[in-house]
Amino acid sequence: MTLAACGCPLPYNSARNCEDTHKKIYSERLQATNTSGLSIHAIRANYIMHAENSLIGQQLKTLAQVNAFHVYDLVEPLQFALTKAIGELSALLWFPEIRNLDEYLADVKTAAANVLDIAVLIDPSKVILKIKYHLLAHLREDIVRFGPLLGVATETFECFNAIFRFCSILSNHLAPSRNIALQLAEQEVLRHFLSGGGWRGSTGVEWKEPAPAVASFLGKNPFFVALLGYGRHAQPQASGNIKLEPLKRSKNRTKIARVALTLGDTLAAQAVNTPEMMQNPEVRWYQGKHVVSHAQDKCATEPPITGKILEILQDEDTAMAFVVFDVFQVSAVRHKYFGMPVLSRRLDKPTLLVIPATTIMFEYDTQHDCLQARCIASGKQAVLQERVQTELREAESFIQHNPFDRFLINTHAFHNAHPIPQEVDNP
């Protein structure tokens, strides 16, 4: 509940009191959000605007991460300040690990105080009446006691309500609470046995274990692993691991062999530091779809990540793997309105570097500086229904970003929120 409190005021401050024209602009901006590096589902801006009064936690968390980029000129200055304060606090509370406890506690205390101070200026009654605001005053004590609050968030357990309902439906309805408790206890006993747990024998002295066939049942039946709520934990991939572009198919659905490229056919030939091992004319290269970073992020060739990945290359023998990087630099001064680090090109010119695929640390979200670039909804596109273009409705407008190579590091993003401050402050 403490974490959800950070997102609750957002849709109301940004949409409820706006005019229809502002809502349309907000919807277009929200749909144009760069979601790479956010670890969120696809944004459905029209649905969010239509159901603004009944959003769920998943949608509120999305808004908390990106709202500041879309409402800067659509709401009052105090509401924009509250949006930024909530985004900063939400990202802090989403840290999965704390590296410097004293510094982290000071940051959380300041961020929570900023939210409460601005909320009081907007509507003092809500701070008094809503318990969620009061919980923000106790964040420091909760973190000292429980550690990162992400580990004690209870929102995910709300999906267990369906289990309670099914247990009640499949009962005699005479004592629902008792029947639900007994069924849940039986389920937990089954989970205990299948996971290899033991139990005390009838004598009360010896301990018994399930038979080997029972203990190995889950390993042979992954469907039941997910059914019992254990989840599937994929093995971590080695950093620098590359997934090649999928094979294309011809009209008769036969697979077409990958095209092997020479160095001159790749962007690596334009780099200022092409490695000597890549300059062998006999080596052929395949283009990759994504590369795995140290943080297990699958970095593709789209978002700028203190450099924009332009091309991923792997040789035919899978002995070498490189990434062609379009280098950006972090400005010394943060953005005037958003207060976030700014990425720009060196001397406003592209600088390509070739780096080993194993050196990529992690991926994070960036957003185009549409405020300075003055991006507007100048494009038109057909409306999709069931993934098919239709002419039954008027073409909808969308944001076309102007050619202005300046981006903002989204410090409100939850994904990889903990390493970003350290890397930005100590590049």
Side-chain angles (χ1 to χ4, degrees):
M1 183 180 294
T2 303
L3 296 177
C6 300
C8 287
L10 278 173
Y12 307 100
N13 288 338
S14 61
R16 173 179 288 183
N17 299 321
C18 292
E19 301 176 358
D20 291 340
T21 55
H22 287 179
K23 289 185 178 183
K24 186 175 185 300
I25 295 174
Y26 175 78
S27 178
E28 293 168 346
R29 292 176 178 176
L30 182 61
Q31 192 61 53
T33 301
N34 174 30
T35 58
S36 181
L38 287 178
S39 297
I40 62 175
H41 295 279
I43 295 178
R44 305 288 183 234
N46 290 333
Y47 173 80
I48 291 177
M49 297 304 298
H50 179 72
E52 62 185 74
N53 296 327
S54 56
L55 301 181
I56 61 176
Q58 180 185 89
Q59 294 154 343
L60 292 175
K61 286 186 286 188
T62 297
L63 294 178
Q65 299 178 73
V66 302
N67 228 23
F69 301 101
H70 310 317
V71 302
Y72 52 87
D73 59 349
L74 303 179
V75 295
E76 298 294 332
L78 276 178
Q79 292 178 331
F80 179 52
L82 179 62
T83 301
K84 292 192 296 181
I86 289 174
E88 293 172 0
L89 177 59
S90 300
L92 282 172
L93 298 184
W94 232 259
F95 276 28
E97 61 182 46
I98 301 174
R99 299 177 179 178
N100 188 324
L101 182 59
D102 294 334
E103 180 180 348
Y104 178 73
L105 291 176
D107 292 341
V108 170
K109 183 179 179 180
T110 302
N114 291 339
V115 172
L116 293 174
D117 291 344
I118 301 173
V120 167
L121 295 176
I122 295 176
D123 190 350
S125 62
K126 285 188 177 181
V127 178
I128 299 174
L129 298 177
K130 285 187 172 291
I131 185 61
K132 292 183 178 180
Y133 281 108
H134 175 73
L135 295 177
L136 299 182
H138 298 279
L139 290 178
R140 188 182 187 281
E141 292 80 3
D142 294 338
I143 294 171
V144 171
R145 182 177 180 182
F146 300 109
L149 295 183
L150 186 61
V152 294
T154 59
E155 183 182 2
T156 55
F157 295 100
E158 292 185 6
C159 62
F160 208 67
N161 292 337
I163 307 298
F164 291 141
R165 183 165 58 253
F166 289 137
C167 291
S168 178
I169 292 174
L170 302 176
S171 69
N172 58 12
H173 301 284
L174 297 179
S177 299
R178 178 176 178 275
N179 294 335
I180 292 174
L182 291 177
Q183 288 196 40
L184 292 179
E186 292 174 356
Q187 292 177 14
E188 290 301 318
V189 170
L190 177 62
R191 284 161 53 106
H192 180 70
F193 290 163
L194 292 177
S195 61
W199 66 93
R200 193 185 297 273
S202 57
T203 60
V205 178
E206 60 177 349
W207 285 82
K208 297 184 177 181
E209 296 180 353
V214 176
S216 61
F217 177 79
L218 291 182
K220 300 176 182 179
N221 298 273
F223 171 76
F224 288 97
V225 175
L227 190 63
L228 292 174
Y230 285 113
R232 300 177 183 179
H233 302 283
Q235 293 294 330
Q237 302 183 48
S239 60
N241 186 28
I242 288 178
K243 180 178 180 180
L244 298 179
E245 290 286 353
L247 293 175
K248 297 182 180 180
R249 294 180 180 269
S250 61
K251 293 183 178 180
N252 58 0
R253 305 301 298 168
T254 58
K255 293 182 178 179
I256 302 176
R258 289 189 178 92
V259 178
L261 306 175
T262 63
L263 178 63
D265 298 328
T266 68
L267 295 175
Q270 306 174 24
V272 297
N273 68 329
T274 305
E276 184 177 353
M277 63 182 65
M278 292 188 68
Q279 299 178 17
N280 186 347
E282 298 180 359
V283 177
R284 295 295 181 266
W285 303 90
Y286 292 132
Q287 289 183 329
K289 182 179 180 180
H290 65 246
V291 57
V292 179
S293 68
H294 286 244
Q296 297 296 299
D297 297 320
K298 296 179 180 179
C299 303
T301 57
E302 292 182 357
I305 45 178
T306 319
K308 182 178 182 180
I309 296 179
L310 299 181
E311 198 171 40
I312 302 171
L313 300 173
Q314 186 179 63
D315 68 322
E316 292 179 308
D317 300 328
T318 68
M320 297 181 290
F322 295 93
V323 172
V324 182
F325 228 48
D326 186 2
V327 180
F328 284 71
Q329 65 180 4
V330 181
S331 300
V333 181
R334 296 201 171 201
H335 198 277
K336 178 180 178 181
Y337 292 98
F338 299 105
M340 299 182 184
V342 179
L343 291 177
S344 58
R345 295 187 185 275
R346 297 179 179 178
L347 303 176
D348 294 328
K349 294 182 180 179
T351 302
L352 304 188
L353 293 178
V354 176
I355 62 174
T358 56
T359 59
I360 298 179
M361 300 302 296
F362 59 90
E363 179 187 27
Y364 55 83
D365 180 61
T366 59
Q367 299 294 330
H368 188 243
D369 190 359
C370 294
L371 176 61
Q372 297 294 332
R374 299 182 180 180
C375 302
I376 59 175
S378 57
K380 293 288 184 180
Q381 61 185 4
V383 178
L384 295 180
Q385 290 186 352
E386 300 295 336
R387 301 184 182 180
V388 177
Q389 293 185 0
T390 177
E391 297 179 356
L392 298 178
R393 293 170 53 189
E394 183 181 355
E396 60 183 5
S397 56
F398 68 96
I399 300 290
Q400 280 190 326
H401 295 295
N402 292 327
F404 184 65
D405 292 328
R406 179 168 168 165
F407 300 88
L408 303 176
I409 298 178
N410 186 2
T411 54
H412 296 175
F414 297 164
H415 183 63
N416 285 332
H418 54 299
I420 290 178
Q422 181 178 4
E423 296 299 329
V424 171
D425 297 334
N426 303 293

